[in-house]
Each structure stands twice: as C-alpha cells, then as structure tokens.
Amino acid sequence: MEPGVYRFRDEAGKVLYIGRARNLRRRVQSYWTNLGDRPRLATMVRRIARVEGVWCDSEHEAAMLERNLLEQSKPRWNRVEGGAEVVGYIRFDAGPARPGLRFTHTVTPNAPHFGPYLGGLRIRQAIAAVHRVLPLTYSGAADGSVREFAQLFGIGPDDRKTLARTAIAVLERDPEAVTALRTELIRRRDRAAAELRFEFAAKLQDELTAFDWIVADQKASWLEPHTLDVYGWSQGILVRFHLEAGRVRTWTQRPATEVTARTRVAETPALWRPFAQRNADLAARLLQI
C-alpha cells in the first residue's frame, strides 16, 4: 500500500482520529499490534468501528491532505489542528543583479511562485539542491566574491536565461528536467562517498530527499485558487473531495447508485479521475472488512 491518510470513526459515525502514513496498510494495522505503552491510544482503538482511507500519490500529498483536514476539524484524539510543519513557497527572482530561488512564507506579486510545500527545512534544502546543479545565483551581474565564484564555475550573465528555464521546468515537475537534476545529484553524492567525504555525501543525500519531496505529485493544495468537487464511485460508494481556494477541505463518502453517481464522476477533471477512482475502490473494500 502507498502513502495516504486514514480516519477512524466510532459506532455513531463520529471521527475519532485523522492521521497520515508512509505505508497506509502497515500504519493502520499497527494500532492493533504495536501500541506499546500508549494507553491513551488503546482507549481510542477500543472505540473504532470503521476505518476510512485515502491512497495518495506521495508522502507530501498525504501530509498536505492531513493538514487541510485537521485545519477544518480536529477530532478528539488528535493533539493539534493542522500540523507542525511550516507551509512555504519557492519564489523565482529573475532580476539580473541577483537571480535565483528564495524561500518565502507568502506569495507576493510581480514574481513567479511555486508550491505550496510543507517543511521550511525541506524547502531550503531543495532550493540548495537546485542551485547546486543550476547555479543561478552566479549568473547575475554582481561584483566581488559572487563574480569570483561565477568565474570558478564558468557561469556568466549569458547563462542566466538557460539556467532559469531549466529551474522553472524542474519546479513545474517536468519529468525530463526532474530526472536530469536528480541524476546529477546522485552522481555527486556517490562521488563524494567514493572519495570518503562522508559528511558532504550525507548533506547531498539530505538535499536529494528534500528535492524528491517538493517535486513529488501533490494535489491537496494548489497555488491557484481552484474550487471544485472531485468524485469517484465504486460498488455503491460515492467518494467526494471538495476543493476550496485551491485546497482539499473535506473528504466524504456515502452510499449512492451508479445512476446517481454517473454525472458527478463524469464532471470530475481528468487530472483527478485516477485519484478519485482508486479511493472509491479503497472505500468500498474497507467497508467490506
């Protein structure tokens, strides 16, 4: 089973807990096999009557979905609303003096932004990974040490547009651009390890992990303020995800006939159909357990 979000309900249908998992099946099963010395959770488990799940396309998507749902409503056994991770964006500065990628907490006008992403440290490490392979900062018209490093890397203002195009393609998750940058990071990490520069290799691995985090598929939160409903139907169960202002705000499921569901499913955007269908299939399977 892939990453996802799970939800526990009691006999009355009340939500007890919402969580996320790297491996959805293994995490849910752990509540009945590996509670250890956590009596608080044992009390909750005794009240669980139904398990619901969302199979996500990445851990990042699962984290975003969990956060969005908890900001809308915090069940009794969840400790905090939302999550501890910082929400941030990557701003692309194209100015000739100091081009490059910057971490920002908010979207500001007059500059391209990418995201949102979760985790301030991850975002900064991912920016470092992109800059490591695409040294945009050194393609500006700066003086002093920046110019010296530019000469060292063989980079100048004439390279700025090419580097910028590639960086934007990476942040837009273009498969070819993402693969090329990731391959180069792996090559540098492995070379550092072969040369016994283990601390540097570990740093590159952290940057690589962060890079994979931000380029992973993530539809739970958008930069664009989309408002729409996403539907999937399977074996008499209609699953609905409601997006408002670009964020998945609610996730519901209810019995419905195929005739009732047909129009709603047909109106679901193509981008969302595989996600909605597999989660309708999952909902139907979980109800049979």
Side-chain angles (χ1 to χ4, degrees):
M1 183 66 74
E2 299 296 329
V5 170
Y6 56 94
R7 183 164 64 188
F8 297 144
R9 292 187 184 271
D10 64 14
E11 287 284 358
K14 185 176 181 180
V15 176
L16 300 171
Y17 185 81
I18 294 172
R20 77 180 196 236
R22 178 176 299 177
N23 183 304
L24 196 55
R25 184 193 301 274
R26 188 180 303 156
R27 181 70 182 108
V28 170
Q29 288 177 339
S30 73
Y31 284 88
W32 282 268
T33 60
N34 191 29
L35 285 181
D37 59 350
R38 293 180 288 175
R40 180 175 179 273
L41 286 182
T43 301
M44 179 194 72
V45 169
R46 288 193 291 270
R47 297 183 57 181
I48 296 172
R50 190 164 86 240
V51 178
E52 298 170 342
V54 177
W55 181 353
C56 294
D57 286 306
S58 69
E59 291 180 53
H60 196 179
E61 185 172 79
M64 275 289 193
L65 178 58
E66 179 201 40
R67 183 187 186 93
N68 291 350
L69 295 173
L70 288 176
E71 285 181 348
Q72 291 298 110
S73 177
K74 186 179 78 67
R76 174 182 173 183
W77 265 271
N78 284 95
R79 294 184 181 276
V80 294
E81 297 177 5
E85 295 129 321
V86 170
V87 177
Y89 303 84
I90 294 176
R91 185 181 73 239
F92 172 67
D93 291 329
R98 195 167 173 264
L101 309 177
R102 312 276 185 265
F103 170 83
T104 177
H105 291 284
T106 57
V107 176
T108 54
N110 304 321
H113 288 71
F114 301 89
Y117 310 107
L118 278 181
L121 176 59
R122 281 194 184 105
I123 299 168
R124 290 180 172 89
Q125 287 174 326
I127 290 172
V130 176
H131 277 164
R132 190 177 296 282
V133 178
L134 303 170
L136 265 167
T137 305
Y138 302 125
S139 66
D143 295 324
S145 61
V146 173
R147 176 170 292 181
E148 292 176 6
F149 275 108
Q151 292 173 347
L152 179 65
F153 285 114
I155 298 293
D158 291 342
D159 300 299
R160 187 170 65 249
K161 289 184 178 179
T162 300
L163 291 171
R165 269 197 309 270
T166 305
I168 289 172
V170 167
L171 294 174
E172 289 178 342
R173 300 187 177 97
D174 175 78
E176 185 176 342
V178 168
T179 298
L181 196 142
R182 190 176 194 279
T183 299
E184 178 60 19
L185 286 172
I186 291 171
R187 187 189 70 80
R188 297 187 187 195
R189 179 203 63 191
D190 292 349
R191 185 179 65 184
E195 294 172 351
L196 306 183
R197 295 183 294 153
F198 297 122
E199 289 187 8
F200 183 55
K203 181 179 182 179
L204 287 172
Q205 179 57 48
D206 288 342
E207 291 179 4
L208 178 60
T209 300
F211 174 74
D212 285 341
W213 177 263
I214 71 160
V215 298
D217 192 6
Q218 192 285 105
K219 299 184 297 299
S221 291
W222 293 75
L223 190 62
E224 299 81 7
H226 301 300
T227 295
L228 60 97
D229 289 313
V230 173
Y231 289 95
W233 182 89
S234 180
Q235 301 179 56
I237 301 299
L238 183 67
V239 173
R240 171 181 176 256
F241 298 92
H242 175 66
L243 280 81
E244 185 176 335
R247 299 170 65 185
V248 177
R249 299 287 187 175
T250 57
W251 151 42
T252 60
Q253 55 188 63
R254 64 179 177 84
T257 65
E258 185 174 6
V259 173
T260 301
R262 187 177 298 142
T263 300
R264 294 180 173 87
V265 171
E267 292 174 348
T268 293
L271 174 69
W272 285 91
R273 286 176 189 168
F275 176 90
Q277 185 57 53
R278 75 165 179 260
N279 282 302
D281 292 339
L282 177 59
R285 290 200 306 271
L286 288 173
L287 284 174
Q288 295 171 5
I289 296 176

